[in-house]
Amino acid sequence: MWPVVFISACFLRISSACEFKPLETGIVCRLTKPAALVLNEQTAQVIQAAFQHASIPDINGERGVRFLGKVTYGLTNIQISNLSIESSEVELREDDAINIVIKNVSSSIKGILNYGYGSWFVHVGHSIEFEIDSSTDLVINNKLACTNRRVAADTSDCYLTFHKLQLHLHGNKDPGWLRQLFTDFISFTLKLVLKSQICKEINYVANLLADFIQYRAGDFLTSGDIGVNIDLTSFPVTKANYLETHHKGLLVYKNTTVHFNNSVFSPSLLTEDRMLYFWFSEDVLNSLALAAFLDQRFVLLLTGHELKEILKDDIESNQEILQEIFHEASSNSSLTKVWSLTPPEIRITPKGTLVTSSVAVQLSTSLDEKPKLYFETDVITTIQASYANKKLRLHLVDYVVHIKNVISSLQISTEEDQKEAALNQFLNKIVSKFGIPTVIERLEPALTSLMNSKGLYLFEIINPEIIPYQGYLIVQMDFGFPHHLLVDFLKKSM
């Protein structure tokens, strides 16, 4: 059952209620057959919750019986317990559905049997406890539906095949004839009721979990006012070895709208070697960078002490400039501010993620009306990312720095033209050797913390890879099922 839920979060059948625009695709998710098999290991947990949570209505009926007259009966307070499952299998049916077969679901059904028989002038009534031992196979063909461009599970193609439905009556000395009588009366009706209620409950749990997972997926791509539209953009692809779905990936930020209609995705870009794949267009990352800029997140403030710690390894060279900077920075009121002047531009290449940005740096104290040092720099960096030990790592591959618009009141005992050249050379070195690494060092824990705040650390991610290509990147991984998360969800929701 869990494969239904997890796959529902990413993969769905089409519905006339959904309109698709394939060229808007910015994110693609592919789940392969090995992943479905791992997820299927948790089927018993969800099926057990569905059986135990199912509300079985009272069953009432009557029938005319020779020698006894009209026999009426009612089964009340029906409860299911002692449930066990022998095995579960999942199959991805190409262009059809996710077929799940639960074999030998054994359970005990208990309740009260009220019955009466006789004629209009003589009527005998009794009430006894009953217990039914049942064993059945459960088959679910999950045809996923699209509602408002989001997933909804349809498990109406669900049926039970009973191997055993044995009635036990308690408190009666000779219940043989009664057991036979009520077994014949009740078994057919009880089978229909169980099928209806169990399948209804399974459908409820599937949609409950699908809604929850979609919420978690959307929340994972959300930070403050910044979000990502994960509506579907095309028909899902169902193969015997994998399932695949396409999502918009459009920026959601206040009144800002960014559209892109040139998706370069094709199925051949993903393989079937790993359990889970995510394909991201560079347009998605570029729009997120725009939102972060508009949200004023690309601002770094350094105290005088922090600046000195950053530059301490360069004390022996450029002593004159550094001594004056440190003299200014030694004041508790000094502050160095670094911020983006324009939205960073992100392009993905096989070498890594290319980030082009225009940055301003200002060193000032509260005593000065004008900054001691102000300059702007155009920086082009190539970054590769990796994820290990539940931490994001950013690796600097290459960089280009261009210093411009320098305004300085620092006193350097050189000729004016030499002073400008020396200062530009010094600033280029500082940005390259210390500035870029400092920004990366602060981005790593900040992004890791953001992902952990969404619960990523709770999942067992195995050998994840972040692979850049021309215009897109692929995240591929294997995973272990977070059983504790499922148990916690069922406890809170059922």
Side-chain angles (χ1 to χ4, degrees):
M1 185 60 196
W2 180 253
V4 174
V5 176
F6 187 87
I7 295 170
S8 293
C10 284
F11 312 105
L12 42 146
R13 263 182 103 78
I14 84 162
S15 167
S16 59
C18 296
E19 297 179 0
F20 298 122
K21 297 181 180 179
L23 290 178
E24 287 187 347
T25 298
I27 302 173
V28 176
C29 177
R30 175 178 288 189
L31 188 77
T32 62
K33 182 64 178 291
L37 295 176
V38 168
L39 296 171
N40 186 58
E41 295 173 1
Q42 305 301 318
T43 298
Q45 191 78 36
V46 179
I47 292 296
Q48 184 174 7
F51 268 79
Q52 292 178 344
H53 191 259
S55 177
I56 308 299
D58 295 344
I59 299 174
N60 298 289
E62 63 179 34
R63 185 173 180 179
V65 179
R66 190 177 182 181
F67 304 123
L68 293 177
K70 183 174 67 174
V71 176
T72 61
Y73 62 89
L75 277 66
T76 62
N77 195 29
I78 304 173
Q79 298 178 352
I80 300 176
S81 60
N82 300 328
L83 185 127
S84 65
I85 295 175
E86 182 178 286
S87 64
S88 174
E89 298 175 359
V90 63
E91 177 186 3
L92 307 182
R93 292 183 174 175
E94 191 156 341
D95 299 323
D96 186 15
I98 306 161
N99 174 254
I100 299 175
V101 178
I102 317 296
K103 294 185 177 179
N104 194 18
V105 182
S106 299
S107 63
S108 175
I109 305 169
K110 298 180 180 181
I112 304 296
L113 170 62
N114 302 290
Y115 67 96
Y117 57 91
S119 62
W120 64 273
F121 58 90
V122 177
H123 188 83
V124 179
H126 293 281
S127 178
I128 59 176
E129 294 181 355
F130 74 87
E131 182 175 356
I132 297 173
D133 292 331
S134 70
S135 178
T136 180
D137 290 342
L138 174 62
V139 178
I140 306 167
N141 287 308
N142 182 46
K143 295 182 181 293
L144 304 170
C146 177
T147 302
N148 297 324
R149 294 177 293 276
R150 292 299 181 97
V151 64
D154 177 11
T155 62
S156 58
D157 188 4
C158 162
Y159 53 93
L160 283 69
T161 301
F162 285 89
H163 303 303
K164 180 175 69 172
L165 195 67
Q166 186 175 1
L167 176 66
H168 303 281
L169 301 177
H170 304 292
N172 193 296
K173 294 182 179 179
D174 187 17
W177 68 271
L178 193 60
R179 181 189 304 113
Q180 183 61 47
L181 179 67
F182 282 109
T183 298
D184 294 341
F185 282 3
I186 294 169
S187 61
F188 178 74
T189 303
L190 183 59
K191 288 178 181 179
L192 291 179
V193 171
L194 285 175
K195 175 190 180 300
S196 174
Q197 294 305 119
I198 295 300
C199 291
K200 178 181 177 181
E201 189 62 30
I202 288 173
N203 193 71
Y204 168 77
V205 175
N207 278 288
L208 192 68
L209 284 167
D211 288 342
F212 172 73
I213 292 174
Q214 288 176 101
Y215 167 78
R216 289 293 296 268
D219 182 64
F220 187 82
L221 297 172
T222 300
S223 175
D225 292 328
I226 302 173
V228 175
N229 183 328
I230 58 172
D231 288 351
L232 299 174
T233 62
S234 69
F235 296 95
V237 177
T238 305
K239 299 293 183 181
N241 294 324
Y242 68 85
L243 295 155
E244 183 178 281
T245 191
H246 304 169
H247 304 268
K248 287 185 177 180
L250 300 179
L251 173 66
V252 178
Y253 178 74
K254 296 182 178 179
N255 296 323
T256 301
T257 302
V258 177
H259 292 283
F260 39 88
N261 296 296
N262 58 344
S263 178
V264 298
F265 177 78
S266 68
S268 61
L269 299 179
L270 300 178
T271 66
E272 303 169 26
D273 301 327
R274 306 296 299 273
M275 293 169 65
L276 183 62
Y277 295 84
F278 292 101
W279 178 93
F280 290 92
S281 166
E282 69 180 9
D283 293 321
V284 175
L285 302 182
N286 207 39
S287 62
L288 288 174
L290 169 62
F293 170 79
L294 295 175
D295 210 44
Q296 299 182 358
R297 300 196 182 192
F298 294 136
V299 178
L300 175 62
L301 299 177
L302 299 172
T303 65
H305 175 73
E306 289 173 325
L307 179 62
K308 193 170 184 177
E309 282 296 308
I310 291 172
L311 301 179
K312 66 180 182 180
D313 292 335
D314 206 49
I315 293 287
E316 294 182 359
S317 61
N318 301 288
Q319 287 189 11
E320 185 179 4
I321 300 176
L322 283 172
Q323 284 175 0
E324 186 163 354
I325 289 177
F326 289 157
H327 172 73
E328 298 295 340
S330 64
S331 170
N332 292 330
S333 60
S334 69
L335 184 69
T336 301
K337 180 180 178 181
V338 183
W339 71 97
S340 289
L341 295 170
T342 59
E345 181 181 330
I346 293 180
R347 292 291 176 259
I348 302 176
T349 71
K351 190 176 179 180
T353 300
L354 196 69
V355 183
T356 302
S357 56
S358 182
V359 178
V361 180
Q362 178 176 289
L363 172 63
S364 61
T365 70
S366 60
L367 301 177
D368 299 314
E369 293 182 0
K370 294 182 180 180
K372 286 292 183 181
L373 176 65
Y374 172 89
F375 67 94
E376 297 172 3
T377 175
D378 292 331
V379 180
I380 302 175
T381 56
T382 303
I383 305 291
Q384 289 185 352
S386 62
Y387 186 82
N389 300 319
K390 302 187 183 298
K391 293 182 180 179
L392 179 69
R393 298 297 185 190
L394 302 176
H395 311 278
L396 180 62
V397 177
D398 196 8
Y399 64 87
V400 176
V401 175
H402 173 62
I403 304 296
K404 61 183 183 180
N405 298 334
V406 180
I407 301 174
S408 172
S409 62
L410 298 176
Q411 301 300 315
I412 304 175
S413 58
T414 59
E415 298 295 332
E416 191 65 29
D417 56 341
Q418 294 177 342
K419 170 183 175 180
E420 182 178 350
L423 187 57
N424 281 358
Q425 183 180 10
F426 167 74
L427 294 177
N428 191 299
K429 177 182 178 181
I430 292 299
V431 171
S432 303
K433 186 176 180 180
F434 301 102
I436 295 174
T438 296
V439 171
I440 290 176
E441 287 173 5
R442 281 162 170 75
L443 274 177
E444 285 179 338
L447 292 174
T448 298
S449 177
L450 177 61
M451 292 188 294
N452 285 341
S453 72
K454 306 299 182 179
L456 185 63
Y457 70 97
L458 297 172
F459 294 85
E460 182 187 355
I461 299 175
I462 302 172
N463 297 327
E465 297 178 90
I466 304 173
I467 307 174
Y469 294 91
Q470 192 64 47
Y472 64 92
L473 64 81
I474 293 174
V475 180
Q476 59 189 39
M477 68 192 77
D478 297 325
F479 61 86
F481 186 83
H483 177 74
H484 59 287
L485 294 180
L486 175 60
V487 172
D488 183 61
F489 172 79
L490 293 175
K491 287 180 179 179
K492 292 180 179 179
S493 304
M494 299 298 291

